[in-house]
Amino acid sequence: MNKISVYVLAFCLSLGCTSVYSQNNNRRITTSNEQNSDVFYHTIERGQTVYAIATMYGVSVDDIYRMNPGSKEGIKAGAILKIPQKDAATVPAESLAGDYTYHTIQPKETLYSLSLKYTIPAESIIQANPGLSTSTFTIGKTIRIPATRIETLPTTEKKSVTKEIEYTIQKKETMYRICRKFNISSNELIKHNPALRNGVKAGMTIKIPVQAEETVVEVKKMPGEREVNALLSAPKDIKKVDRIKIALLLPFMTNEPVPSATTSRFVEYYEGLLLAVDSMRNMGCNIELSVYDTGNGVQKINEILKEDALQEANLIIGAVQNEQITPVANFAQKRNIKYVIPFTSKNDDVLSNASVFQINTPHSYLYSKAAQAGCDLFSDYNIILLDIKDKENKTDFIKAFKSEMKTRQMEYKELPFRPETFQTDIEQLLSTTKRNVIVPTSGSLDALNKFKSPLRMLAETKPEYGITLFGYPEWQTYTRECLEDFYALNTYIYSNFYADNLASNVQDFYTLYKTWYSKNLINTFPKYGILGFDTGMYFLGAIRKYGSNFENNLDKINYPSVQTGFNFHRVNNWGGFINTNLFIVHYKNDYTVTRTELK
């Protein structure tokens, strides 16, 4: 098959209980009488898009636009959307959304009341919503109600019962003969027939107790309200794993004569993961790693998923193309295996699959959090958006940033970039009573080169302006050309990955990698070798400490990352987890760099 011996590949690569009511705030969604069985209500969370919301409920974007006309112009966190219940007859069997009714939790509703309302066991509701707890069973939250209903027919059971039969005593019969005939003691016989105390007489009719099997009809008793509602706060045991089994699925393209640059990055990711495995083994962790070459398309994936190592895995990492990711995600969900998607941020499986952990943050969540961070950092600044028409314009981020400023009633200015008059134009907008921050609308190096020199000159000749620059993740790849400018302009960037080359843990990793593989990391961002190491250390450490169901203790996992931080957030009560970690990197005037992690 395609399974690659870990050691062979490593060698080759080295060469080249109380009633819990829904509580939240006084926000009113709709009353039970108002609620239409054909619709339910979704409260928009930060970072969500209409497309993502439609996908998680198995409806179309047009369905949402039709029921919420204003949503076509944009949606806002905290607003409420009306969502149509999907028609089960039109949902494909392989659909991620499945056959569910969606319910928006109303005031005073409990798990018990919903169990009665939908005639379904409370355990089935919890099973369909793995993220459901006292903290998520709140007014306005949506949950899935599975199609299976409580069986209304009574149950039947065969039981042994005692019955009495009548018997007429024959001539010459004695007490002894009757007892022997019916296998009963004389005391038991007299107990049922007190008249026998006066003697046995022919012609008497007596009662004989006999054992018989009888089908008993029994109606199963429903658990009580207190018992049902307590399920939301029931402690969840840690499922310890003695030997952690990992399956790594990457397109190594072993059939290609010369590996491409992309393939080399995946090899580097594997090498970084091997370093994490070795580190965890040195801590006493028992690990079995199986590695597979997925190639392109789904043919190899389908074969790999038949392997015993996949069936028995605690953790699956990898697959790159969406057509490969979906079958792996479905496989993991059916077997309750944790599945880590390390690279793409554009996969939808996480929206309806509780087994999925998506490391690369979807842009909508990233921009929303970065906009919040920018407003927190520069709430007292004079904010100037520098509009540079460029092929790499950050339209969605700027939109999110403007929306956040508007929500907070923060003022900002906009300046179209004109190279011949830029210095004069910008100076007219600068404040002398506040610090000033410049936010360009493009993240490209070409855009940065257009304004950084005149802006730096202004910052150095007129320090009273207190000029600061706020920019983008890709700026960390420009340090060879722009590092001095970043320092001079007191630059901040946001990013979901960052490795400070001067930090001791980064230096230690570079040394370890070169010792193992006799080469340096590929000079790209993010560095896949460190990504593989961080991923392995985080998830192996999580399983080692909190078992195969470590998702119940995510808030307790604090891994000091080398490059990629982890802060997983469940997308809804039934879906998987996306990584919402964000770094704010600050290039200071004193030529130092700090990395602040925002949870």
Side-chain angles (χ1 to χ4, degrees), residues 523-551:
N523 189 27
T524 56
F525 294 87
K527 295 188 182 299
Y528 273 24
I530 309 181
L531 177 59
F533 180 79
D534 279 336
T535 302
M537 293 298 291
Y538 178 87
F539 285 99
L540 290 173
I543 296 173
R544 180 191 182 205
K545 190 168 185 180
Y546 297 109
S548 59
N549 57 339
F550 64 85
E551 70 274 14

PDB file of all heavy atoms in Angstrom, residues 523-551:
ATOM      1  N   ASN A 523      12.966  28.843   3.476  1.00  0.00           N
ATOM      2  CA  ASN A 523      12.726  30.245   3.838  1.00  0.00           C
ATOM      3  C   ASN A 523      11.380  30.723   3.290  1.00  0.00           C
ATOM      4  O   ASN A 523      11.294  31.517   2.363  1.00  0.00           O
ATOM      5  CB  ASN A 523      13.856  31.132   3.316  1.00  0.00           C
ATOM      6  CG  ASN A 523      13.756  32.552   3.872  1.00  0.00           C
ATOM      7  OD1 ASN A 523      13.215  32.759   4.961  1.00  0.00           O
ATOM      8  ND2 ASN A 523      14.247  33.509   3.113  1.00  0.00           N
ATOM      9  N   THR A 524      10.294  30.194   3.875  1.00  0.00           N
ATOM     10  CA  THR A 524       8.936  30.619   3.519  1.00  0.00           C
ATOM     11  C   THR A 524       8.173  30.872   4.816  1.00  0.00           C
ATOM     12  O   THR A 524       8.629  30.514   5.900  1.00  0.00           O
ATOM     13  CB  THR A 524       8.202  29.545   2.701  1.00  0.00           C
ATOM     14  OG1 THR A 524       8.208  28.311   3.436  1.00  0.00           O
ATOM     15  CG2 THR A 524       8.869  29.334   1.357  1.00  0.00           C
ATOM     16  N   PHE A 525       7.003  31.483   4.690  1.00  0.00           N
ATOM     17  CA  PHE A 525       6.170  31.775   5.861  1.00  0.00           C
ATOM     18  C   PHE A 525       4.751  31.294   5.610  1.00  0.00           C
ATOM     19  O   PHE A 525       4.199  31.562   4.538  1.00  0.00           O
ATOM     20  CB  PHE A 525       6.170  33.285   6.156  1.00  0.00           C
ATOM     21  CG  PHE A 525       7.510  33.811   6.579  1.00  0.00           C
ATOM     22  CD1 PHE A 525       8.444  34.220   5.640  1.00  0.00           C
ATOM     23  CD2 PHE A 525       7.844  33.873   7.919  1.00  0.00           C
ATOM     24  CE1 PHE A 525       9.673  34.704   6.021  1.00  0.00           C
ATOM     25  CE2 PHE A 525       9.073  34.359   8.307  1.00  0.00           C
ATOM     26  CZ  PHE A 525      10.000  34.773   7.358  1.00  0.00           C
ATOM     27  N   PRO A 526       4.099  30.631   6.570  1.00  0.00           N
ATOM     28  CA  PRO A 526       4.742  30.128   7.778  1.00  0.00           C
ATOM     29  C   PRO A 526       5.693  28.983   7.448  1.00  0.00           C
ATOM     30  O   PRO A 526       5.562  28.358   6.391  1.00  0.00           O
ATOM     31  CB  PRO A 526       3.564  29.630   8.629  1.00  0.00           C
ATOM     32  CG  PRO A 526       2.526  29.252   7.625  1.00  0.00           C
ATOM     33  CD  PRO A 526       2.677  30.239   6.499  1.00  0.00           C
ATOM     34  N   LYS A 527       6.622  28.717   8.336  1.00  0.00           N
ATOM     35  CA  LYS A 527       7.574  27.633   8.127  1.00  0.00           C
ATOM     36  C   LYS A 527       6.879  26.318   8.495  1.00  0.00           C
ATOM     37  O   LYS A 527       6.479  26.116   9.631  1.00  0.00           O
ATOM     38  CB  LYS A 527       8.828  27.858   8.956  1.00  0.00           C
ATOM     39  CG  LYS A 527       9.601  29.110   8.515  1.00  0.00           C
ATOM     40  CD  LYS A 527      10.930  29.233   9.206  1.00  0.00           C
ATOM     41  CE  LYS A 527      11.655  30.512   8.785  1.00  0.00           C
ATOM     42  NZ  LYS A 527      11.946  30.551   7.354  1.00  0.00           N
ATOM     43  N   TYR A 528       6.772  25.433   7.502  1.00  0.00           N
ATOM     44  CA  TYR A 528       6.005  24.204   7.698  1.00  0.00           C
ATOM     45  C   TYR A 528       6.655  23.278   8.721  1.00  0.00           C
ATOM     46  O   TYR A 528       5.973  22.499   9.383  1.00  0.00           O
ATOM     47  CB  TYR A 528       5.824  23.484   6.365  1.00  0.00           C
ATOM     48  CG  TYR A 528       4.614  23.948   5.576  1.00  0.00           C
ATOM     49  CD1 TYR A 528       4.072  25.218   5.771  1.00  0.00           C
ATOM     50  CD2 TYR A 528       4.000  23.119   4.643  1.00  0.00           C
ATOM     51  CE1 TYR A 528       2.963  25.641   5.054  1.00  0.00           C
ATOM     52  CE2 TYR A 528       2.892  23.532   3.922  1.00  0.00           C
ATOM     53  CZ  TYR A 528       2.382  24.795   4.130  1.00  0.00           C
ATOM     54  OH  TYR A 528       1.284  25.213   3.423  1.00  0.00           O
ATOM     55  N   GLY A 529       7.982  23.328   8.828  1.00  0.00           N
ATOM     56  CA  GLY A 529       8.649  22.496   9.820  1.00  0.00           C
ATOM     57  C   GLY A 529       8.224  22.858  11.234  1.00  0.00           C
ATOM     58  O   GLY A 529       7.959  21.983  12.064  1.00  0.00           O
ATOM     59  N   ILE A 530       8.126  24.160  11.502  1.00  0.00           N
ATOM     60  CA  ILE A 530       7.695  24.597  12.835  1.00  0.00           C
ATOM     61  C   ILE A 530       6.208  24.337  13.013  1.00  0.00           C
ATOM     62  O   ILE A 530       5.753  23.979  14.100  1.00  0.00           O
ATOM     63  CB  ILE A 530       8.011  26.089  13.066  1.00  0.00           C
ATOM     64  CG1 ILE A 530       9.474  26.404  12.740  1.00  0.00           C
ATOM     65  CG2 ILE A 530       7.719  26.476  14.513  1.00  0.00           C
ATOM     66  CD1 ILE A 530       9.865  27.854  12.969  1.00  0.00           C
ATOM     67  N   LEU A 531       5.420  24.503  11.948  1.00  0.00           N
ATOM     68  CA  LEU A 531       3.990  24.217  12.023  1.00  0.00           C
ATOM     69  C   LEU A 531       3.751  22.754  12.386  1.00  0.00           C
ATOM     70  O   LEU A 531       2.904  22.437  13.236  1.00  0.00           O
ATOM     71  CB  LEU A 531       3.317  24.548  10.686  1.00  0.00           C
ATOM     72  CG  LEU A 531       1.825  24.239  10.579  1.00  0.00           C
ATOM     73  CD1 LEU A 531       1.020  25.001  11.633  1.00  0.00           C
ATOM     74  CD2 LEU A 531       1.305  24.551   9.177  1.00  0.00           C
ATOM     75  N   GLY A 532       4.518  21.846  11.763  1.00  0.00           N
ATOM     76  CA  GLY A 532       4.395  20.430  12.090  1.00  0.00           C
ATOM     77  C   GLY A 532       4.772  20.154  13.537  1.00  0.00           C
ATOM     78  O   GLY A 532       4.110  19.365  14.225  1.00  0.00           O
ATOM     79  N   PHE A 533       5.817  20.816  14.006  1.00  0.00           N
ATOM     80  CA  PHE A 533       6.261  20.635  15.396  1.00  0.00           C
ATOM     81  C   PHE A 533       5.205  21.163  16.369  1.00  0.00           C
ATOM     82  O   PHE A 533       4.813  20.468  17.322  1.00  0.00           O
ATOM     83  CB  PHE A 533       7.589  21.363  15.610  1.00  0.00           C
ATOM     84  CG  PHE A 533       8.129  21.241  17.005  1.00  0.00           C
ATOM     85  CD1 PHE A 533       8.781  20.094  17.422  1.00  0.00           C
ATOM     86  CD2 PHE A 533       7.988  22.291  17.909  1.00  0.00           C
ATOM     87  CE1 PHE A 533       9.283  19.986  18.725  1.00  0.00           C
ATOM     88  CE2 PHE A 533       8.477  22.197  19.203  1.00  0.00           C
ATOM     89  CZ  PHE A 533       9.130  21.033  19.604  1.00  0.00           C
ATOM     90  N   ASP A 534       4.743  22.386  16.143  1.00  0.00           N
ATOM     91  CA  ASP A 534       3.729  22.977  17.034  1.00  0.00           C
ATOM     92  C   ASP A 534       2.458  22.125  17.064  1.00  0.00           C
ATOM     93  O   ASP A 534       1.869  21.897  18.125  1.00  0.00           O
ATOM     94  CB  ASP A 534       3.375  24.396  16.570  1.00  0.00           C
ATOM     95  CG  ASP A 534       4.380  25.442  17.037  1.00  0.00           C
ATOM     96  OD1 ASP A 534       5.068  25.202  18.040  1.00  0.00           O
ATOM     97  OD2 ASP A 534       4.456  26.511  16.401  1.00  0.00           O
ATOM     98  N   THR A 535       2.020  21.662  15.883  1.00  0.00           N
ATOM     99  CA  THR A 535       0.809  20.846  15.814  1.00  0.00           C
ATOM    100  C   THR A 535       0.972  19.566  16.620  1.00  0.00           C
ATOM    101  O   THR A 535       0.092  19.184  17.403  1.00  0.00           O
ATOM    102  CB  THR A 535       0.477  20.506  14.350  1.00  0.00           C
ATOM    103  OG1 THR A 535       0.313  21.720  13.607  1.00  0.00           O
ATOM    104  CG2 THR A 535      -0.803  19.694  14.257  1.00  0.00           C
ATOM    105  N   GLY A 536       2.104  18.894  16.429  1.00  0.00           N
ATOM    106  CA  GLY A 536       2.354  17.656  17.155  1.00  0.00           C
ATOM    107  C   GLY A 536       2.425  17.872  18.657  1.00  0.00           C
ATOM    108  O   GLY A 536       1.809  17.120  19.432  1.00  0.00           O
ATOM    109  N   MET A 537       3.138  18.894  19.081  1.00  0.00           N
ATOM    110  CA  MET A 537       3.292  19.145  20.520  1.00  0.00           C
ATOM    111  C   MET A 537       1.954  19.480  21.169  1.00  0.00           C
ATOM    112  O   MET A 537       1.649  19.024  22.275  1.00  0.00           O
ATOM    113  CB  MET A 537       4.290  20.278  20.758  1.00  0.00           C
ATOM    114  CG  MET A 537       5.726  19.951  20.365  1.00  0.00           C
ATOM    115  SD  MET A 537       6.440  18.569  21.293  1.00  0.00           S
ATOM    116  CE  MET A 537       6.585  19.300  22.927  1.00  0.00           C
ATOM    117  N   TYR A 538       1.141  20.281  20.483  1.00  0.00           N
ATOM    118  CA  TYR A 538      -0.143  20.678  21.060  1.00  0.00           C
ATOM    119  C   TYR A 538      -1.075  19.472  21.196  1.00  0.00           C
ATOM    120  O   TYR A 538      -1.601  19.196  22.287  1.00  0.00           O
ATOM    121  CB  TYR A 538      -0.807  21.753  20.201  1.00  0.00           C
ATOM    122  CG  TYR A 538      -2.170  22.167  20.719  1.00  0.00           C
ATOM    123  CD1 TYR A 538      -2.300  23.171  21.671  1.00  0.00           C
ATOM    124  CD2 TYR A 538      -3.333  21.541  20.267  1.00  0.00           C
ATOM    125  CE1 TYR A 538      -3.545  23.542  22.162  1.00  0.00           C
ATOM    126  CE2 TYR A 538      -4.582  21.901  20.750  1.00  0.00           C
ATOM    127  CZ  TYR A 538      -4.681  22.901  21.695  1.00  0.00           C
ATOM    128  OH  TYR A 538      -5.930  23.250  22.185  1.00  0.00           O
ATOM    129  N   PHE A 539      -1.295  18.753  20.108  1.00  0.00           N
ATOM    130  CA  PHE A 539      -2.298  17.683  20.134  1.00  0.00           C
ATOM    131  C   PHE A 539      -1.817  16.440  20.886  1.00  0.00           C
ATOM    132  O   PHE A 539      -2.603  15.812  21.599  1.00  0.00           O
ATOM    133  CB  PHE A 539      -2.730  17.336  18.709  1.00  0.00           C
ATOM    134  CG  PHE A 539      -3.638  18.361  18.104  1.00  0.00           C
ATOM    135  CD1 PHE A 539      -3.149  19.327  17.240  1.00  0.00           C
ATOM    136  CD2 PHE A 539      -4.983  18.389  18.428  1.00  0.00           C
ATOM    137  CE1 PHE A 539      -3.985  20.295  16.695  1.00  0.00           C
ATOM    138  CE2 PHE A 539      -5.832  19.355  17.894  1.00  0.00           C
ATOM    139  CZ  PHE A 539      -5.330  20.307  17.030  1.00  0.00           C
ATOM    140  N   LEU A 540      -0.548  16.091  20.754  1.00  0.00           N
ATOM    141  CA  LEU A 540      -0.033  14.950  21.515  1.00  0.00           C
ATOM    142  C   LEU A 540      -0.054  15.255  23.012  1.00  0.00           C
ATOM    143  O   LEU A 540      -0.414  14.403  23.833  1.00  0.00           O
ATOM    144  CB  LEU A 540       1.378  14.598  21.052  1.00  0.00           C
ATOM    145  CG  LEU A 540       1.487  13.993  19.653  1.00  0.00           C
ATOM    146  CD1 LEU A 540       2.941  13.838  19.242  1.00  0.00           C
ATOM    147  CD2 LEU A 540       0.786  12.649  19.590  1.00  0.00           C
ATOM    148  N   GLY A 541       0.316  16.490  23.349  1.00  0.00           N
ATOM    149  CA  GLY A 541       0.261  16.891  24.753  1.00  0.00           C
ATOM    150  C   GLY A 541      -1.157  16.890  25.287  1.00  0.00           C
ATOM    151  O   GLY A 541      -1.410  16.486  26.433  1.00  0.00           O
ATOM    152  N   ALA A 542      -2.105  17.305  24.445  1.00  0.00           N
ATOM    153  CA  ALA A 542      -3.514  17.336  24.863  1.00  0.00           C
ATOM    154  C   ALA A 542      -4.041  15.928  25.117  1.00  0.00           C
ATOM    155  O   ALA A 542      -4.707  15.666  26.126  1.00  0.00           O
ATOM    156  CB  ALA A 542      -4.356  18.029  23.788  1.00  0.00           C
ATOM    157  N   ILE A 543      -3.736  15.001  24.204  1.00  0.00           N
ATOM    158  CA  ILE A 543      -4.209  13.618  24.370  1.00  0.00           C
ATOM    159  C   ILE A 543      -3.533  12.963  25.566  1.00  0.00           C
ATOM    160  O   ILE A 543      -4.164  12.232  26.335  1.00  0.00           O
ATOM    161  CB  ILE A 543      -3.967  12.804  23.085  1.00  0.00           C
ATOM    162  CG1 ILE A 543      -4.800  13.372  21.938  1.00  0.00           C
ATOM    163  CG2 ILE A 543      -4.305  11.331  23.297  1.00  0.00           C
ATOM    164  CD1 ILE A 543      -4.509  12.751  20.589  1.00  0.00           C
ATOM    165  N   ARG A 544      -2.242  13.224  25.712  1.00  0.00           N
ATOM    166  CA  ARG A 544      -1.511  12.619  26.835  1.00  0.00           C
ATOM    167  C   ARG A 544      -2.117  13.028  28.174  1.00  0.00           C
ATOM    168  O   ARG A 544      -2.275  12.210  29.085  1.00  0.00           O
ATOM    169  CB  ARG A 544      -0.047  13.056  26.773  1.00  0.00           C
ATOM    170  CG  ARG A 544       0.804  12.479  27.904  1.00  0.00           C
ATOM    171  CD  ARG A 544       2.155  13.150  27.944  1.00  0.00           C
ATOM    172  NE  ARG A 544       2.993  12.582  28.985  1.00  0.00           N
ATOM    173  CZ  ARG A 544       3.988  13.236  29.571  1.00  0.00           C
ATOM    174  NH1 ARG A 544       4.257  14.484  29.224  1.00  0.00           N
ATOM    175  NH2 ARG A 544       4.712  12.661  30.504  1.00  0.00           N
ATOM    176  N   LYS A 545      -2.477  14.292  28.315  1.00  0.00           N
ATOM    177  CA  LYS A 545      -2.959  14.793  29.598  1.00  0.00           C
ATOM    178  C   LYS A 545      -4.458  14.632  29.773  1.00  0.00           C
ATOM    179  O   LYS A 545      -4.931  14.302  30.874  1.00  0.00           O
ATOM    180  CB  LYS A 545      -2.574  16.265  29.752  1.00  0.00           C
ATOM    181  CG  LYS A 545      -2.812  16.813  31.150  1.00  0.00           C
ATOM    182  CD  LYS A 545      -2.156  18.170  31.339  1.00  0.00           C
ATOM    183  CE  LYS A 545      -2.307  18.656  32.777  1.00  0.00           C
ATOM    184  NZ  LYS A 545      -1.667  19.986  32.974  1.00  0.00           N
ATOM    185  N   TYR A 546      -5.222  14.861  28.700  1.00  0.00           N
ATOM    186  CA  TYR A 546      -6.683  14.904  28.837  1.00  0.00           C
ATOM    187  C   TYR A 546      -7.412  13.833  28.019  1.00  0.00           C
ATOM    188  O   TYR A 546      -8.633  13.885  27.892  1.00  0.00           O
ATOM    189  CB  TYR A 546      -7.196  16.290  28.450  1.00  0.00           C
ATOM    190  CG  TYR A 546      -6.669  17.372  29.362  1.00  0.00           C
ATOM    191  CD1 TYR A 546      -5.733  18.293  28.911  1.00  0.00           C
ATOM    192  CD2 TYR A 546      -7.098  17.456  30.689  1.00  0.00           C
ATOM    193  CE1 TYR A 546      -5.242  19.290  29.766  1.00  0.00           C
ATOM    194  CE2 TYR A 546      -6.610  18.439  31.538  1.00  0.00           C
ATOM    195  CZ  TYR A 546      -5.682  19.347  31.065  1.00  0.00           C
ATOM    196  OH  TYR A 546      -5.202  20.322  31.905  1.00  0.00           O
ATOM    197  N   GLY A 547      -6.661  12.870  27.483  1.00  0.00           N
ATOM    198  CA  GLY A 547      -7.286  11.727  26.852  1.00  0.00           C
ATOM    199  C   GLY A 547      -7.826  11.996  25.456  1.00  0.00           C
ATOM    200  O   GLY A 547      -7.659  13.084  24.893  1.00  0.00           O
ATOM    201  N   SER A 548      -8.492  10.990  24.904  1.00  0.00           N
ATOM    202  CA  SER A 548      -9.002  11.094  23.534  1.00  0.00           C
ATOM    203  C   SER A 548     -10.156  12.088  23.421  1.00  0.00           C
ATOM    204  O   SER A 548     -10.502  12.523  22.327  1.00  0.00           O
ATOM    205  CB  SER A 548      -9.462   9.724  23.037  1.00  0.00           C
ATOM    206  OG  SER A 548     -10.484   9.204  23.878  1.00  0.00           O
ATOM    207  N   ASN A 549     -10.764  12.444  24.558  1.00  0.00           N
ATOM    208  CA  ASN A 549     -11.824  13.462  24.561  1.00  0.00           C
ATOM    209  C   ASN A 549     -11.308  14.773  25.152  1.00  0.00           C
ATOM    210  O   ASN A 549     -11.991  15.451  25.921  1.00  0.00           O
ATOM    211  CB  ASN A 549     -13.048  12.966  25.328  1.00  0.00           C
ATOM    212  CG  ASN A 549     -12.717  12.561  26.768  1.00  0.00           C
ATOM    213  OD1 ASN A 549     -11.566  12.287  27.095  1.00  0.00           O
ATOM    214  ND2 ASN A 549     -13.716  12.527  27.636  1.00  0.00           N
ATOM    215  N   PHE A 550     -10.100  15.157  24.753  1.00  0.00           N
ATOM    216  CA  PHE A 550      -9.452  16.355  25.289  1.00  0.00           C
ATOM    217  C   PHE A 550     -10.224  17.635  24.979  1.00  0.00           C
ATOM    218  O   PHE A 550      -9.992  18.677  25.597  1.00  0.00           O
ATOM    219  CB  PHE A 550      -8.023  16.477  24.742  1.00  0.00           C
ATOM    220  CG  PHE A 550      -7.944  16.664  23.250  1.00  0.00           C
ATOM    221  CD1 PHE A 550      -8.048  17.912  22.671  1.00  0.00           C
ATOM    222  CD2 PHE A 550      -7.749  15.570  22.418  1.00  0.00           C
ATOM    223  CE1 PHE A 550      -7.972  18.077  21.295  1.00  0.00           C
ATOM    224  CE2 PHE A 550      -7.677  15.725  21.039  1.00  0.00           C
ATOM    225  CZ  PHE A 550      -7.788  16.985  20.482  1.00  0.00           C
ATOM    226  N   GLU A 551     -11.167  17.575  24.024  1.00  0.00           N
ATOM    227  CA  GLU A 551     -11.930  18.783  23.685  1.00  0.00           C
ATOM    228  C   GLU A 551     -12.729  19.305  24.872  1.00  0.00           C
ATOM    229  O   GLU A 551     -13.136  20.477  24.882  1.00  0.00           O
ATOM    230  CB  GLU A 551     -12.864  18.517  22.494  1.00  0.00           C
ATOM    231  CG  GLU A 551     -14.039  17.606  22.767  1.00  0.00           C
ATOM    232  CD  GLU A 551     -13.721  16.140  22.616  1.00  0.00           C
ATOM    233  OE1 GLU A 551     -12.521  15.778  22.558  1.00  0.00           O
ATOM    234  OE2 GLU A 551     -14.665  15.325  22.552  1.00  0.00           O
TER     235      GLU A 551
END
